[in-house]
Each structure stands twice: as C-alpha cells, then as structure tokens.
Amino acid sequence: MRWPFIIRIIGVLLFVLGLCMTLPLGCSLFFKDGAHQGHLTAMAVTTIMGAIMVVISKKAGNHDYINQREGIAVVALGWIGIGLFGALPFFLAPDFSTYTDAFFESVSGFTTTGSSVMTNIEGAAPSLLLWRSLIQWLGGMGIIVLSLAILPFLGVGGIQLYKAEVPSPVPDKLTPRLSDSAKILWIVYAGMTLLLILFLYFGGMNLFESVCHALTTLPTGGFSPKNLSIAHYDSAYFDYTITIFMLLAGINFSLHYQILRGNRLAFWKDAECRFFLCAVLVGTLIITLNTWGPVYDNFSKAFRFAIFQVVSIVTTTGYATADYELFPGLSQVLLFFGMFIGASAGSTGGGMKCARIMVCIKYCYRELFKLIHPRSVSHIKLNNALIPEELLRSILGFIALYILIFVMATTLLSALGVDLLTSLGAVASCIGNIGPGFGTVGPAENFAHLPQAGKWLLSWCMLAGRLEIYTVIILLVPEFWKQ
C-alpha cells in the first residue's frame, strides 16, 4: 500500500475537519458561552496536524487509481482519525471529565448513532451543542463522499473510497463521474436539511433548535439539544414533521434524485423502498393497537407515538417522544427487531439494511424450493436485476458477521458487569447506529454510567456498523497488512 498517499488523504480530511470547527467557534463568540477557547484550541490542533500530514507526504503525488486495500485503509483510518480529533471540542469542555467520554460522543456523532454520555444537555454551551449536531450532519452522507465532491484536487479515481463508505450493498453511481454523483447527493441532502429547518422554525421552534434538529434528522442521527429529545416539545406538529423527514432520510437518496428528475413513481417502483415503507406501516399498526388502551387512551395518540418510535428506530435516528420501555412486551420486541432491520441501502440510516434482509429472505425461500425441486435452476432477483452469486455470498457473510459481532460484543459487555438486558440493548443500538437501547440505556437514560472499557467497545461497534462491518473488521485480518 502507498502509505504516503493514504496519509496525505487523511491529512486533508483532518484539515477540512479543523476548518469546520470555525462554525462552533463563531457560535461561541455570538452567544458568549465561554467555550471559544476550547474550540480555538481544537481547531488549531486539528488543522496543524492535518497540514503536517499533507506536508510530510507531499511526494506521494496524484494517482488516477486507488486499489481496494488502499480505499479501505483510507476510510477506516480516516474515520478513526476524525473521531479522535473530533473529540477535542468535547474534551476541552467542562461537560466531559475523560477523553473516553469525549471520544464516545464524537464517534457517536460522526457515525450518526446518537448514543450520548451527556447527563445535562441543556446545561451545555450552545456552541458545543452545535458541534454535536454538525458532526452528525457531516457523518450522515459520509465525510469521504464529501471529500470526493469538494476535493477533486486529490486526483483519486475514488470508486474504492465510495464503495467502502456509502452504506449500500451496491453503490448507485448517478452520473459517470463519481465527484458529480457525490455533489448531487450532497445537494439533495443539504436541500432537505434546509427545508426541515424552515418547517421547524415556522412551526414555532426557535432558529438554533431548528438548525440543530435538522442537522441531526437528515443524517438519522438523533442528537437533540434537549434532555427529553423531541418529547420536550409535546407537539403533534413537530412529531409528524420530523417523522416525515426521518422516513425520507431512510430512503435511498438516489430515489430522491430520480423524483427530482421527474420520475414520480420512483419510490413505488423500487422493491426495497416498498419493503421499507411496508415494514414501517405494519410495525406502526401493531404497536398502535398494542398500546391503545394499556398506554394511551385514544387511537390518534397511540398512532402518533407509535409511528414516531417505529420510524425513529427503523431509520436508526434514535429520537424519542415516549419511553418505549413502558410499552407492552409485544411492542418492545418489535422495536428491538427493528433495530436490526435498519433503513434502505443508499440512505443515511444504519442497521443491516432492507435490501440485505430481502435478499436473505429470498435466499432462504430458494433453498426451501430446491428441497422440493432439487433439479431446478433458480436465481435471486432484486428490482428485476439478477443478484450475482458473489454479491449474494457477500450479503450473507455480512449478516453472519453482523450477528457474530452482536453476540461477541454483548458477551464482552456483560463480562464487564453490565446486566444482560442493557448489554443486548446497548450493542444492538451501537452496531445499528440507533442511539437509545434497552435497560439502563433506554430512551429515558444514557450511556454515561457504563464502564470505560465498555465505552471503547461500543465505540468500535459504532464504527463497524457505520462502515458496514467489512471495512473495519478487515483491519484485524493479518493478511490485509501484508504486501
């Protein structure tokens, strides 16, 4: 691998990250919240480190091609570096006592997980809350895709970076040039964010909170500047508005582009989108009927809270308007399973992704069919396109690794003294990039009380989930580092 070239790309990413810190710095000076010194120090350290990495690797030169191993190394090491330096504004603030907590919050932000160790969010400096929201927005579509859109001077052919970064089994190239595709994705992403800001602001939310919630809704992140999350407002208008935008964020962004190009039936024609929306609808109806009476006294209220929790969990956003641990057992089980399903491929959501679930179901049906008709030749299709056997093996391998990591991480967290329900909920939440879990990390609690080693373990789970398992776990394979 060409390490100077890899170091150069990561250096550029850190330099850009440092420049992004000017936004919370400006916010601190505007609100006079006293956090400007910490933001300035973090910005200086990050930009200087990025500049040093670029300078020491200046002889790397530009290349028209980057191989698969180099692409994986850039993405995995780049995200780790961004998490490490993105933690500095948190670490230099009085709200975080250890670097472990700051790193956990940073990784949770960039991976759009939304799990938090902050015990008094409303007491934090506004600039810190803005940084907390901004890193989710940057992580939503992917810092690497952003670099491909605005840093063409790197001279990288880039499809390997895109494949390792974009949360989808098969990346959709919207245009022949990858940088143009990245720009289109970001324009759609930014446009939807701006639209949500306007809806929230004109609905009665103040501008700062509107910006923070929009920056964390579209990336399906879930960080809120309020201790009670969206439940703080107790507003049907905000609940339904945010629900709609969470749904949009959970749909493949290439479909949004097709809608804008005039293909009004793009959502309906896509099999995965239909599966995703049907899963949300069925889950919502069951939980509505299950909570109507035991929890809520009327159908409309039960439906309002049911659809918000279902959409928030399935899209892996993690906002909360109700403590779902008070729901009947059936509702809790459905929400727990929803943590594994996840949103659509090509969206900002986490989880296994609906496309993989569909392929897995089709594969199981094919095996049953072959037991009845052993000489038959059948193929698995998605959207009338044949799924190659190589891709099929990759998808099944991903699901197996996902479940294996879930089991192993749950066992390790339990070994650290965390109770079983909390361990299950915390690992499912972090590997699925959801936010709240079950037990003592439910929607009414946070992750602050977990042991330090547990927070590092869960941070790794968040990175593995965000980068689609393979990109992170392959770093543990010795053959990856051999020439």
Side-chain angles (χ1 to χ4, degrees), residues 314-327:
V314 173
T315 62
T316 72
T317 306
Y319 281 142
T321 57
D323 185 357
Y324 51 73
E325 290 190 297
L326 301 178
F327 287 2

Side-chain angles (χ1 to χ4, degrees), residues 37-342:
Q37 190 62 48
H39 292 301
L40 186 61
T41 302
M43 182 177 68
V45 171
T46 306
T47 51
I48 290 173
M49 178 56 70
I52 290 174
M53 293 175 70
V54 171
V55 170
I56 64 175
S57 60
K58 63 181 180 180
K59 294 182 180 180
N62 292 337
H63 299 272
D64 294 328
Y65 177 77
I66 180 170
N67 64 43
Q68 188 175 40
R69 285 204 304 169
E70 291 169 342
I72 290 173
V74 168
V75 170
L77 298 179
W79 273 82
I80 292 172
I82 287 166
L84 290 169
F85 284 89
L88 292 178
F90 296 118
F91 181 60
L92 297 173
D95 306 85
F96 295 82
S97 57
T98 66
Y99 182 78
T100 296
D101 286 350
F103 180 74
F104 181 92
E105 197 81 10
S106 174
V107 171
S108 180
F110 280 112
T111 59
T112 71
T113 302
S115 301
S116 180
V117 295
M118 294 184 68
T119 55
N120 183 19
I121 298 172
E122 294 175 32
S127 58
L128 193 67
L129 298 180
L130 179 63
W131 176 244
R132 195 167 170 261
S133 301
L134 180 63
I135 60 177
Q136 287 205 323
W137 193 80
L138 292 173
M141 190 61 70
I143 200 75
I144 306 299
V145 176
L146 173 64
S147 70
L148 292 175
I150 67 173
L151 300 175
F153 65 86
L154 285 175
V156 178
I159 187 63
Q160 281 74 19
L161 294 180
Y162 190 65
K163 286 171 66 177
E165 167 63 26
V166 175
S168 169
V170 184
D172 294 318
K173 288 185 66 176
L174 308 180
T175 65
R177 292 185 59 189
L178 187 59
S179 61
D180 290 339
S181 294
K183 289 175 184 177
I184 290 171
L185 290 174
W186 273 96
I187 289 172
V188 173
Y189 186 57
M192 291 172 66
T193 303
L194 179 60
L195 191 61
L196 179 56
I197 291 174
L198 295 176
F199 272 108
L200 295 178
Y201 178 70
F202 288 109
M205 194 180 291
N206 69 50
L207 182 59
F208 178 77
E209 293 173 8
S210 298
V211 170
C212 287
H213 283 117
L215 290 178
T216 56
T217 298
L218 270 302
T220 61
F223 275 159
S224 171
K226 296 297 181 181
N227 291 326
L228 297 177
S229 189
I230 307 301
H232 170 87
Y233 302 98
D234 192 21
S235 165
Y237 172 80
F238 289 147
D239 288 359
Y240 284 119
T241 300
I242 291 175
T243 297
I244 292 171
F245 277 87
M246 286 192 296
L247 274 173
L248 292 175
I251 294 173
N252 191 323
F253 269 71
S254 65
L255 297 181
H256 296 308
Y257 177 68
Q258 292 180 34
I259 291 285
L260 294 175
R261 290 290 301 272
N263 185 3
R264 298 180 180 179
L265 298 177
F267 288 173
W268 178 252
K269 290 179 180 179
D270 185 77
E272 184 191 25
C273 185
R274 294 198 303 270
F275 180 90
F276 167 68
L277 294 177
C278 287
V280 168
L281 178 61
V282 171
T284 298
L285 291 177
I286 294 175
I287 293 177
T288 298
L289 296 174
N290 192 228
T291 56
W292 180 24
V295 182
Y296 301 110
D297 55 3
N298 62 72
F299 181 85
S300 61
K301 197 171 185 180
F303 177 81
R304 168 188 156 193
F305 287 102
I307 192 171
F308 190 96
Q309 308 331 303
V310 169
V311 173
S312 181
I313 292 294
V314 173
T315 62
T316 72
T317 306
Y319 281 142
T321 57
D323 185 357
Y324 51 73
E325 290 190 297
L326 301 178
F327 287 2
L330 174 61
S331 297
Q332 292 190 47
V333 169
L334 288 177
L335 290 174
F336 182 73
F337 288 154
M339 291 181 172
F340 291 88
I341 295 175

